[in-house]
Amino acid sequence: MTTVPWRLRCTQTGTEYDGLDRRFYSDTGATLDVVHDLARVGEQVDLATFDARLSSKKRIDRSGVWRFRELILPVEEQWIASKPEGATNLYESSRLASYVGLDWLGLKHEGENPTGSFKDRGMTVAMSMAKRLGADRVACASTGNTSASMAAYAAEAGMRAFVFIPDGKIAYGKLAQALAFGAQTIQIAGDFDKALQLVQEVCDREGVYLLNSVNPFRIEGQKAIGFEMLQDLDWQVPDWIVLPGGNLGNSAALGKGLLEMRELGWIDRLPKIAVVQAQGANPFYTAFQKGEPLVPVQNAETIATAIRIGNPVSWQKSLRGVDASTGIVTEVTDVQILDAKAHVDAAGIGAEPASCATVAGAKRLVSEGVIQPDERVCGILTGHLMKDPDTVVQYHKGEMDALDESTRNAPVRCDATLDAVLGFVN
Ligand code: F0G
């Protein structure tokens, strides 16, 4: 007998499991979806409910995730672990629109979440499930942001946290967060894909609750980026939503949430989803181009360490949304990412390298005529500029390749005299 209103469904066979079944794979080994009773959701809430919650003082209404709770996870409030997250800005930057080649560009800055990345949206939901299921230990493999987020939520919930990170390949801001929030941080002598394999084995053996995006509750929380973006736009559907793809949980979530909204009749069409990969970590791009199943990339490499992933777990789920929306998967080079980042940063918005793959990807798609200049495009900036200060400083000091030297802003040395300083001011 089911105890909760949601169920878990095998993405391949459709076999269903109880919503509190502590499993991440079906009996056939496929990933799971959380399935909601949409008819019930439609009776309980509508878009006006979500708008009314914007002026509420309740914490769960202020959260840009739990504001949409009926369609995210209708769990009892006592289990909810919220900071609260979301409620991020959608920047309209004419400067960046013209860089990309568009009349209008909106950028949803997920770096404005409590731990500085979009990961908080999925984490609040999966951590609430961890509490609901009585877990006392949680773990994840991460390129940095998931571990920072998990460490923070675990610290608040009083759980022990174990993070598995690729040795030497995560940005300093993220490593600092995991350490500061008290997670046991294990630097694996291998890449993210190896770390993910190991953490899954550890969790299976030891009964530690896994908080990677193979955990379907992470995906439910991440759906809220799309919901909140549409709410920011007064429920007007943009033509495109562009976002970076690494392990592909986020794009999977975006597609799932939008499809549910359409089924509920809350939107009448889907925005096209464009997933942008880094060229050195592009298995999804290659699979999409060939129309074939994904073949993992060995030794993935990119300056955007957040998306340095060769074997993405959620590629099939992500493809569902890309296909349903007649969207696209593209790739960009590291210098294109750094150039886009220099412009995003110089616009006073700022974001970490992986986030700027969004802007680089949009620019490429406009230049190829895939996106028309007058189409309404929203991009997701996934992480804060301060996550990866090393890349910023190295770039501006000229220690990394640039497409355009004029984007550099190197610090200058100066004698400690008024005359010398005035030389730079005038
Ligand atoms: N952007 C940033 C800043 C990220 O941290 C990630 C993923 C992505 C984009 C890609 O999202 O994996 O859902 O396709 N970071 C994960 C982590 C892998 O461990 O923090 P995705």
Side-chain angles (χ1 to χ4, degrees):
M1 203 193 84
T2 192
T3 49
V4 289
W6 66 88
R7 300 178 306 286
L8 298 173
R9 182 185 291 161
C10 172
T11 49
Q12 271 173 7
T13 64
T15 305
E16 292 200 352
Y17 304 93
D18 187 278
L20 294 181
D21 199 340
R22 194 170 158 169
R23 58 160 69 227
F24 303 120
Y25 294 98
S26 68
D27 291 337
T28 56
T31 52
L32 300 171
D33 280 322
V34 174
V35 189
H36 300 283
D37 181 346
L38 290 185
R40 183 168 177 242
V41 173
E43 283 162 18
Q44 290 174 328
V45 286
D46 57 17
L47 299 181
T49 317
F50 304 140
D51 284 346
R53 287 177 183 166
L54 283 177
S55 55
S56 161
K57 289 187 177 150
K58 272 180 78 175
R59 273 175 75 79
I60 57 167
D61 290 342
R62 296 180 79 95
S63 163
V65 174
W66 297 103
R67 190 189 311 149
F68 309 102
R69 52 193 171 271
E70 288 81 2
L71 195 49
I72 301 267
L73 192 72
V75 67
E76 298 93 332
E77 202 173 328
Q78 72 193 97
W79 304 112
I80 292 180
S82 174
K83 287 176 124 6
E85 42 293 311
T88 58
N89 283 300
L90 181 80
Y91 291 101
E92 298 178 34
S93 167
S94 52
R95 181 168 167 171
L96 290 173
S98 76
Y99 170 71
V100 171
L102 291 166
D103 298 342
W104 183 88
L105 173 68
L107 290 169
K108 183 94 175 135
H109 205 331
E110 290 295 301
E112 295 176 350
N113 271 288
T115 76
S117 85
F118 74 99
K119 300 291 181 179
D120 293 338
R121 292 188 187 257
M123 200 53 70
T124 178
V125 176
M127 189 59 85
S128 300
M129 269 309 285
K131 287 174 69 178
R132 175 69 181 82
L133 294 169
D136 59 358
R137 293 181 300 171
V138 291
C140 69
S142 180
T143 56
N145 281 324
T146 299
S147 55
S149 181
M150 185 187 81
Y153 280 83
E156 275 202 293
M159 291 189 203
R160 290 178 68 200
F162 304 91
V163 309
F164 291 53
I165 52 172
D167 195 9
K169 291 288 182 181
I170 86 167
Y172 241 57
K174 307 174 189 181
L175 178 61
Q177 286 177 294
L179 300 176
F181 294 134
Q184 170 75 63
T185 303
I186 306 164
Q187 297 185 284
I188 304 290
D191 59 13
F192 169 83
D193 303 298
K194 186 68 193 167
L196 182 58
Q197 181 203 326
L198 281 168
V199 77
Q200 297 201 65
E201 283 174 30
V202 169
C203 287
D204 276 355
R205 270 180 66 130
E206 300 295 321
V208 178
Y209 192 62
L210 181 67
L211 285 177
N212 277 100
S213 56
V214 64
N215 180 324
F217 298 101
R218 284 272 314 281
I219 305 281
E220 290 313 291
Q222 284 170 206
K223 290 187 320 196
I225 303 178
F227 297 163
E228 198 179 79
M229 180 190 282
L230 290 191
Q231 187 171 33
D232 293 337
L233 298 169
D234 205 14
W235 309 111
Q236 301 300 306
V237 179
D239 296 309
W240 289 87
I241 298 179
V242 187
L243 77 172
N247 215 16
L248 299 173
N250 204 26
S251 48
L254 181 68
K256 182 174 189 283
L258 291 167
L259 282 163
E260 288 167 346
M261 284 190 81
R262 192 179 61 177
E263 202 173 325
L264 278 157
W266 292 348
I267 53 175
D268 55 8
R269 65 184 178 94
L270 298 174
K272 292 182 181 167
I273 297 174
V275 180
V276 186
Q277 292 217 288
Q279 199 173 61
N282 66 352
F284 193 43
Y285 169 74
T286 308
F288 185 81
Q289 286 285 311
K290 293 187 175 164
E292 288 174 5
L294 182 136
V295 179
V297 166
Q298 307 300 326
N299 304 319
E301 201 51 76
T302 166
I303 188 80
T305 51
I307 51 174
R308 185 174 169 269
I309 295 173
N311 190 11
V313 167
S314 298
W315 72 269
Q316 280 146 318
K317 288 185 180 181
S318 177
L319 189 59
R320 284 189 309 208
V322 172
D323 279 348
S325 72
T326 62
I328 197 164
V329 183
T330 191
E331 65 168 9
V332 288
T333 63
D334 280 2
V335 274
Q336 287 172 324
I337 290 173
L338 288 172
D339 190 65
K341 176 171 160 56
H343 283 85
V344 171
D345 293 355
I349 295 174
E352 69 163 284
S355 308
C356 300
T358 291
V359 174
K363 185 171 169 61
R364 174 178 170 170
L365 293 172
V366 172
S367 74
E368 291 173 344
V370 176
I371 298 180
Q372 302 307 312
D374 61 351
E375 287 189 293
R376 283 177 74 78
V377 179
C378 279
I380 301 176
L381 298 177
T382 44
H384 199 280
L385 178 145
M386 294 303 290
K387 289 279 191 174
D388 190 353
D390 293 343
T391 298
V392 178
V393 176
Q394 285 174 26
Y395 181 84
H396 288 295
K397 282 181 155 181
E399 293 164 8
M400 286 176 173
D401 289 343
L403 269 185
D404 172 3
E405 289 299 326
S406 74
T407 60
R408 306 242 203 231
N409 182 27
V412 288
R413 289 199 168 276
C414 178
D415 289 340
T417 65
L418 185 59
D419 278 351
V421 174
L422 285 176
F424 289 107
V425 175
N426 290 314

